[in-house]
Amino acid sequence: MFKNEHIPLNTTIVQLPLDISLLEIAAYLQQGKAVFTELNDVISLFTPEEASLLSCFKASTLHELVEETSYFTTQAISLPTSSLLPELIQTTNRPLLIKDKKGTVRGYAALLDLYQASVLEQHKWASYFAVLADTVTDAVTVVDRDGAVICWNHVAEELYHLPSADVLGKRIGEHFDVETLMVLKILDEGRVIRNTYHRPRPDTHVLINASPIRDGHGQIIGGIATEQDITQLVRLNEQLTTADSYGIAQVEQANDLFSLISGKGPAIGKVIQWAKKVAATETPVLLIGESGVGKEQLAHIIHQSSSRAQEPFLTLNCGIVPSGLLEAELFGYQGGAFSGSESGQAGKLEQAKDGTLFINEIEKLPLDLQAKLYHSLTQQTIIRSGGTLPIGVRTRIIIATTADLAGKLAKQEFRPDLYYALNVISIRIPPLRDRTEDIPAMVQMYLKQFSLQYQKPVPTLSPEVLLAFTNHDWPGNIQELKNVIERCLILSDEDTIQLEHLPTALQQLQPSLALAESDNQTSIRAKISEDEEMIFIEEALVKTGRNKSAAAKLLGISRGTLYNKMREFGLE
């Protein structure tokens, strides 16, 4: 993650052969160059400060000197390394030879300089981590091998109302029920936890990620956990469930049609605010948004909230109707133009006279029909295909698009006159992934809708399911959400919708506990005998009423692993 800073390194150094004389070595040292040599994997290092010591020995060559004394013997370390301190364990106070990761000697450094650099490095790491812990928006808890808290950031203080002064240095179990602490479980079992719903206290709901901390030898020395507070999300879901059961939603909808657009978040709030204003006018409206965001629903509500509510509301999707039939669909045709009928057929613009016509995928309307539509808007008349007489209409137009019409305008793929005539007021409807705060309300609305359709009681959602909903990107937007809710209601025979009722893609967003992929990972089998393991599995099945998903979660293993164990022990 981080790279070591440069350590104090003397790079003026040469390697000399063993048959060189001490006089020649002294010459190198007097020039400020260090010398090193190697005999039988033993490294000897001579620094310029040690030039005067050579005369104290009887040897005349470098080979004789290294055999005569071990005073100049040293060790070599390779950099970069994760930490300098483990490398400083020596049997001598000699300077160290420094190699790069390819084994090439880069220089040497005094032991004291390396120690000071190592201490500075540790201080920097501590500063990095302290700032990181207080920068993230999740609660961060770090414990040592004994479960004593060594990090408790300000988000954790606010989440649990426990100041760090009361927690740091003390065992985490003093403030929480030991059985509910995920960070202690990873100390004992070496498990990695990802995006898992957790309830550390009765009134606190979190999404937890936790990992064991291992030293260079793979031994667990502590654990770290980050927790995202989802208490308000869970409570909102509970409140909405209660509100629906008492009919509060129906009262609101009876008084305000815009309450049918579920959501109280700022993104959809602005959409509703603007839609209410345009509903009171006659001006055309441009709705922009991805497929499935609810453009037609909003157009219908605008119509129903306007003075035209008692008049027709018709729709035309330019992406569905073949281009050869679009003119007849939109403007109608005169008698005899196609079928020989004298009366002909009115188009959608004429049928919706005094009402509202919602035209979807307007970008797929051919350019010649765009010109005809522009003329109809400005003159408030239409001419049927094959006809010559203008017919007066006062139809209000609401159009919708998933495309960038301004971009099409620049490419001359959309007529500028029609664009500016329609784009008096444009409302951009945000995709569902940008308004996750509205998902609980929408879920409750669709649960009630499909419960009535299938004659079932309105179920509740498990926290894991609600969490999976908020983690999903919803590329199909509201339509995809409706489909998922309908699926869950059909498949569920209980009062609560569980993860198993969701499509596979959503189940994967809320994974269960996973064993860390490590040679040193600890498994149940490594700690207990097969007889004890079978007893544990039997007890878990009894406690969960033989619900295999719940039993697997209780044991901290996958459902597939549980099935394999059951077959192995003959528990099926």
Side-chain angles (χ1 to χ4, degrees):
M1 184 183 299
F2 299 109
K3 292 183 178 179
N4 287 310
E5 301 290 341
H6 293 296
I7 63 172
L9 187 63
N10 296 295
T11 58
T12 309
I13 186 171
V14 294
Q15 182 176 9
L16 296 179
L18 288 166
D19 59 358
I20 194 170
S21 69
L22 294 191
L23 291 177
E24 291 176 282
I25 293 177
Y28 276 102
L29 298 181
Q30 288 168 2
Q31 293 172 13
K33 297 179 181 179
V35 173
F36 77 95
T37 190
E38 188 171 349
L39 175 63
N40 298 328
D41 296 327
V42 177
I43 300 172
S44 296
L45 174 67
F46 306 87
T47 65
E49 295 79 14
E50 298 169 330
S52 60
L53 296 179
L54 298 182
S55 61
C56 299
F57 299 95
K58 298 178 181 180
S60 60
T61 65
L62 183 55
H63 189 284
E64 292 175 355
L65 180 61
V66 296
E67 285 189 332
E68 179 181 345
T69 180
S70 61
Y71 176 82
F72 298 99
T73 301
T74 188
Q75 294 180 359
I77 62 173
S78 296
L79 293 179
T81 181
S82 59
S83 176
L84 286 173
L85 286 176
E87 303 286 354
L88 301 186
I89 301 174
Q90 302 244 19
T91 58
T92 176
N93 291 326
R94 300 285 298 150
L96 290 179
L97 207 62
I98 309 298
K99 295 182 178 180
D100 60 21
K101 56 186 177 182
K102 295 181 179 179
T104 304
V105 174
R106 293 301 182 187
Y108 69 97
L111 202 58
L112 178 60
D113 290 340
L114 289 175
Y115 178 78
Q116 291 175 338
S118 180
V119 172
L120 179 61
E121 178 193 353
Q122 299 302 318
H123 288 166
K124 287 181 178 179
W125 272 81
S127 299
Y128 291 146
F129 182 79
V131 173
L132 177 63
D134 280 330
T135 300
V136 298
T137 56
D138 293 350
V140 178
T141 306
V142 183
V143 299
D144 63 16
R145 188 65 185 88
D146 298 321
V149 180
I150 58 177
C151 176
W152 185 259
N153 72 344
H154 71 279
V155 181
E157 290 182 315
E158 296 173 359
L159 177 61
Y160 294 110
H161 307 291
L162 285 172
S164 58
D166 295 344
V167 179
L168 291 177
K170 298 178 182 178
R171 288 183 59 82
I172 189 75
E174 294 181 20
H175 299 281
F176 298 87
D177 182 359
V178 175
E179 294 299 320
T180 68
L181 288 175
M182 291 288 191
V183 75
L184 291 185
K185 290 182 180 180
I186 64 175
L187 289 180
D188 295 333
E189 303 165 12
R191 289 186 289 181
V192 174
I193 299 170
R194 291 290 179 264
N195 297 327
T196 300
Y197 169 74
H198 182 43
R199 194 173 185 178
R201 287 181 170 178
D203 59 344
T204 306
H205 305 264
V206 298
L207 177 64
I208 187 171
N209 290 276
S211 298
I213 302 172
R214 299 178 185 273
D215 62 17
H217 303 290
Q219 299 299 313
I220 296 177
I221 60 173
I224 183 170
T226 63
E227 298 167 300
Q228 177 187 350
D229 185 13
I230 59 168
T231 303
Q232 294 302 320
L233 186 64
V234 174
R235 286 179 179 172
L236 176 60
N237 180 54
E238 294 171 349
Q239 291 168 1
L240 289 168
T241 302
T242 303
D244 263 353
S245 65
Y246 285 99
I248 296 174
Q250 293 91 320
V251 174
E252 290 183 352
Q253 290 173 10
N255 297 329
D256 182 8
L257 287 171
F258 285 96
S259 65
L260 292 169
I261 305 175
S262 296
K264 302 295 182 182
I268 199 64
K270 184 177 181 180
V271 170
I272 294 174
Q273 179 186 1
W274 285 25
K276 285 182 176 180
K277 290 182 177 180
V278 300
T281 70
E282 299 290 313
T283 187
V285 183
L286 170 61
L287 303 181
I288 306 169
E290 297 176 5
S291 296
V293 294
K295 298 186 289 294
E296 184 173 344
Q297 180 193 24
L298 180 59
H300 201 174
I301 291 175
I302 291 174
H303 168 76
Q304 291 293 99
S305 302
S306 71
S307 58
R308 299 170 179 256
Q310 302 303 317
E311 303 298 334
F313 174 84
L314 302 180
T315 65
L316 175 65
N317 191 320
C318 299
I320 296 177
V321 180
S323 57
L325 298 179
L326 268 174
E327 182 175 10
E329 280 289 315
L330 193 56
F331 300 100
Y333 56 88
Q334 189 58 43
F338 296 108
S339 62
S341 169
E342 293 184 2
S343 59
Q345 176 67 50
K348 292 290 180 71
L349 278 168
E350 190 177 344
Q351 294 175 33
K353 182 180 180 180
D354 297 326
T356 302
L357 176 61
F358 173 67
I359 305 177
N360 201 358
E361 297 190 74
I362 187 69
E363 71 276 7
K364 295 181 179 178
L365 190 68
L367 289 173
D368 58 331
L369 294 185
Q370 290 180 26
K372 192 169 182 180
L373 179 59
Y374 171 72
H375 181 271
S376 297
L377 286 173
T378 54
Q379 302 299 319
Q380 292 194 338
T381 61
I382 63 152
I383 298 177
R384 290 182 179 183
S385 179
T388 56
L389 297 177
I391 302 173
V393 293
R394 290 184 58 256
T395 304
R396 183 183 190 176
I397 303 294
I398 299 178
I399 65 171
T401 182
T402 60
D404 175 17
L405 290 186
K408 287 187 170 293
L409 198 66
K411 296 177 182 178
Q412 298 183 343
E413 295 175 356
F414 201 88
R415 290 184 62 92
D417 50 6
L418 179 62
Y419 174 77
Y420 292 115
L422 294 175
N423 192 24
V424 179
I425 296 178
S426 60
I427 300 176
R428 186 174 296 275
I429 305 175
L432 195 53
R433 62 180 173 275
D434 292 342
R435 42 182 293 218
T436 54
E437 69 276 8
D438 295 331
I439 288 178
M442 299 177 72
V443 167
Q444 290 302 323
M445 179 179 71
Y446 294 130
L447 279 175
K448 183 178 179 184
Q449 173 183 325
F450 290 118
S451 294
L452 290 173
Q453 179 178 336
Y454 293 105
Q455 297 297 300
K456 285 187 172 184
V458 180
T460 58
L461 299 182
S462 70
E464 292 92 341
V465 169
L466 186 60
L467 209 54
F469 280 168
T470 57
N471 285 338
H472 188 43
D473 282 341
W474 299 108
N477 291 294
I478 295 175
Q479 188 58 53
E480 183 184 2
L481 176 63
K482 287 178 66 176
N483 293 345
V484 170
I485 295 298
E486 184 174 11
R487 166 201 169 99
C488 290
L489 204 72
I490 292 172
L491 297 180
S492 175
D493 294 323
E494 302 173 357
D495 295 335
T496 303
I497 293 175
Q498 304 288 351
L499 272 178
E500 61 189 33
H501 300 129
L502 298 182
T504 304
L506 270 75
Q507 290 186 36
Q508 292 173 346
L509 297 176
Q510 184 63 6
S512 56
L513 305 185
L515 287 176
E517 294 182 359
S518 168
D519 293 336
N520 300 294
Q521 75 180 13
T522 306
S523 65
I524 297 175
R525 197 180 190 96
K527 286 189 169 185
I528 61 176
S529 67
E530 287 190 355
D531 290 341
E532 291 172 322
E533 189 175 1
M534 184 171 66
I535 292 172
F536 283 153
I537 293 174
E538 287 179 326
E539 288 178 350
L541 289 169
V542 170
K543 287 180 180 178
T544 58
R546 303 197 70 81
N547 183 312
K548 295 180 181 63
S549 296
K553 190 170 184 179
L554 184 62
L555 290 167
I557 59 178
S558 69
R559 190 163 53 177
T561 300
L562 177 60
Y563 283 134
N564 292 335
K565 293 289 184 183
M566 290 176 65
R567 280 194 294 270
E568 180 182 340
F569 296 130
L571 297 177
E572 294 179 312

